[in-house]
Amino acid sequence: MTVLDFINHLLRRQKPSGTMARQRLQLVLAHDRSDLNPELLDQMRREILEVVQRYVEIDIESCDVSLETEDRVTALLANLPIKRTREFPLPSGSSAFGSGPSAGIAVASAEISVIGGPSPSPAAAPAETGEASAASQP
Amino acid sequence: MTTASARIILICSGKGGVGKTTLTANLGIALARLGKTVAVLDADFGLRNLDLLLGLENRIIYTAQEVLAKTCRLDQALVKHKQQPNLALLPAGNPRMLEWLTPEDMQTIAGLLAERSDYVLIDAPAGIEQGFKNAAAASREAIVITTPEVSAVRDADRVIGLLATMDVRPVQLVLNRVRPKMMANQEMLAVDDVTDILALPLLGLVQEDERVIVSTNRGEPLTLEANPSPAGQAYLNIARRLCGEEIPLIDPSKKRHGLRVRLINKLRKTTGLF
Ligand SMILES: Nc1ncnc2c1ncn2[C@@H]1O[C@H](COP(=O)(O)OP(=O)(O)O)[C@@H](O)[C@H]1O
Ligand SMILES: [Mg+2]
């Protein structure tokens, strides 16, 4: 940097472009990496709820399924409040929106981590190396 | 020299023109100089260049296409380098090959090359389309090369995401066209910025170097020289690190500066103004 550059910097008080580059990249990559088409996300959300409901009754109103990204790892966070567990799982494909007295509400949470960022197209399924965990206290 | 021990390495970037082919040519020669048997495969069927950079363009008779069609043997298609006969090039076939080539075809070719080599380097096409996916399907590990520019880093990130879903690993990073002065002045992404953002281990730093252009003109990779220029030395170091040698990586933008630059940088840090 020449003295003239230096004085220009002082006068403009502009951030150096390298710093701007880093900040802009971080923003754009956070978006790129969690880029899952909203339609697909919605379809996945519905299918997850369908499966879970075969085993437990959940409080549909307060269910939340969303994506979060941190350090190259995008996680699917599902927060599914459980009304009660079913004695016998319903067969697949059956509608689970059922009746039944609601026992105390418990919370199940599942985490599926998709490592390595977004998949390019729905056809190329991302490798889901992840864990799913659920907890419930009836 | 067995299939099991051969390392099949994809050289890719996402963005075009960041230095994949230059790296493949120089790394191939450098590994050959270290006594390894190397096959380099030009998987950029659309825009093939590896033959030119290696100075082998006039000696091509057959290509990967004839090998796949079994109209010639692999050793008939391979072009040996005159000065470094440990290195052989398998040229890319006709660009129309892109229309029918499958990942399995690429695996077949890479498998054949692996039988007779310690290292198989695959020069990937730019982009993340089928041509890239075919090349990645045939590779076990990868080197992602990028420059310290936003567009190149962003594209590299896409490629890294794809490689992870394809189980290619390890993936290491080469940062090319580094300009130490601009980095020191914070007018370019810093080495740490790029490695932090992409979260990959750094395999090498290659400076911007006019000699790269001169060597391309001649078809003689820099790593052929006895006393290589800075970029040539960087390619040699990358080869050594690949072979497991521990060679310290020196960030050229953090070298000790003259008094004036140091004073300015100090002021910059303490005031935080600019
Ligand atoms: N370290 C470097 N210093 C100067 N020029 C370089 C350097 N690396 C690559 N280049 C130049 O950049 C251009 C693109 O390089 P190339 O290896 O063909 O990229 P790719 O295969 O990724 O498209 C070439 O003109 C090459 O000479
Ligand atoms: Mg190229």
Side-chain angles (χ1 to χ4, degrees):
Chain A
M1 172 179 289
T2 64
V3 174
L4 197 65
D5 285 337
F6 172 63
I7 292 169
N8 276 337
H9 264 299
L10 265 184
L11 292 179
R12 278 188 279 126
R13 292 192 178 180
Q14 216 186 13
K15 270 187 213 161
S17 70
T19 311
M20 287 175 67
R22 186 187 61 231
Q23 291 168 347
R24 292 177 60 220
L25 257 176
Q26 279 165 338
L27 274 178
V28 79
L29 288 185
H31 189 267
D32 284 358
R33 286 172 185 173
S34 62
D35 180 29
L36 189 67
N37 160 348
E39 248 171 69
L40 277 179
L41 184 61
D42 197 54
Q43 183 184 339
M44 179 166 73
R45 181 186 287 126
R46 269 184 279 118
E47 286 181 20
I48 289 173
L49 293 187
E50 222 176 274
V51 171
V52 172
Q53 281 183 94
R54 282 171 40 212
Y55 297 88
V56 290
E57 268 176 47
I58 50 184
D59 185 7
I60 294 290
E61 304 293 274
S62 44
C63 280
D64 178 38
V65 178
S66 59
L67 283 177
E68 271 170 43
T69 304
E70 212 179 289
D71 301 330
R72 293 216 63 78
V73 179
T74 301
L76 175 70
L77 298 176
N79 198 335
L80 315 173
I82 292 177
K83 285 190 193 159
R84 51 173 277 176
T85 44
R86 295 184 195 282
E87 205 168 333
F88 303 103
L90 299 175
S92 64
S94 65
S95 162
F97 294 83
S99 47
S102 66
I105 289 181
V107 172
S109 72
E111 254 179 65
I112 301 166
S113 296
V114 183
I115 298 186
S119 118
S121 71
E128 274 136 350
T129 33
E131 36 177 337
S133 64
S136 87
Q137 293 122 23
Chain B
M1 286 232 316
T2 62
T3 318
S5 65
R7 289 175 67 178
I8 308 179
I9 307 176
L10 181 72
I11 301 194
C12 58
S13 64
K15 188 169 153 65
V18 296
K20 290 178 293 294
T21 308
T22 309
L23 174 64
T24 310
N26 279 284
L27 190 54
I29 295 282
L31 286 167
R33 275 185 66 177
L34 294 172
K36 311 290 180 191
T37 333
V38 188
V40 289
L41 168 60
D42 191 348
D44 196 349
F45 296 98
L47 305 161
R48 57 194 202 173
N49 276 323
L50 191 53
D51 52 349
L52 261 183
L53 264 61
L54 285 165
L56 299 175
E57 72 276 14
N58 291 327
R59 293 174 43 208
I60 295 173
I61 302 170
Y62 298 112
T63 68
Q65 187 170 0
E66 287 79 32
V67 175
L68 265 177
K70 297 207 170 100
T71 51
C72 81
R73 292 189 314 274
L74 177 64
D75 58 279
Q76 290 175 302
L78 283 174
V79 189
K80 268 199 184 142
H81 197 273
K82 273 204 195 98
Q83 286 137 286
Q84 290 295 333
N86 273 347
L87 175 91
L89 163 76
L90 182 57
N94 191 300
R96 279 195 305 272
M97 270 181 89
L98 278 173
E99 290 160 22
W100 52 263
L101 199 82
T102 65
E104 290 73 31
D105 290 332
M106 281 302 274
Q107 283 163 349
T108 306
I109 298 176
L112 287 172
L113 293 172
E115 276 172 31
R116 56 188 311 290
S117 325
D118 299 318
Y119 286 84
V120 178
L121 305 181
I122 303 183
D123 184 17
I128 50 176
E129 317 307 325
Q130 199 54 45
F132 163 78
K133 286 180 185 160
N134 289 345
S139 309
R140 299 209 181 112
E141 52 186 298
I143 297 174
V144 172
I145 180 166
T146 188
T147 60
E149 289 167 275
V150 283
S151 54
V153 174
R154 183 189 197 178
D155 293 354
D157 191 75
R158 276 304 288 270
V159 164
I160 294 165
L162 270 178
L163 290 172
T165 67
M166 298 178 84
D167 266 339
V168 177
R169 69 174 70 94
V171 180
Q172 303 183 80
L173 185 70
V174 167
L175 190 54
N176 191 24
R177 308 194 80 150
V178 169
R179 294 162 182 251
K181 257 200 195 147
M182 288 190 75
M183 273 192 188
N185 292 341
Q186 300 182 46
E187 296 297 356
M188 183 168 249
L189 284 166
V191 175
D192 298 341
D193 289 343
V194 180
T195 53
D196 287 353
I197 287 173
L198 295 180
L200 287 185
L202 190 60
L203 180 65
L205 288 172
V206 185
Q207 292 195 31
E208 174 79 27
D209 184 350
E210 289 178 0
R211 302 292 305 167
V212 171
I213 297 165
V214 176
S215 85
T216 308
N217 293 341
R218 298 209 169 107
E220 294 167 3
L222 291 172
T223 43
L224 280 172
E225 293 169 20
N227 295 307
S229 68
Q233 190 57 51
Y235 291 124
L236 280 172
N237 286 345
I238 290 171
R240 291 219 150 90
R241 289 189 196 103
L242 261 188
C243 294
E245 268 184 66
E246 282 197 19
I247 298 168
L249 262 160
I250 297 161
D251 182 342
S253 66
K254 288 186 179 159
K255 275 195 192 142
R256 205 170 163 74
H257 294 290
L259 183 64
R260 198 179 60 198
V261 175
R262 268 189 287 154
L263 272 178
I264 291 174
N265 281 342
K266 188 154 190 193
L267 243 173
R268 185 204 288 276
K269 283 203 180 101
T270 46
T271 58
L273 272 180
F274 54 102

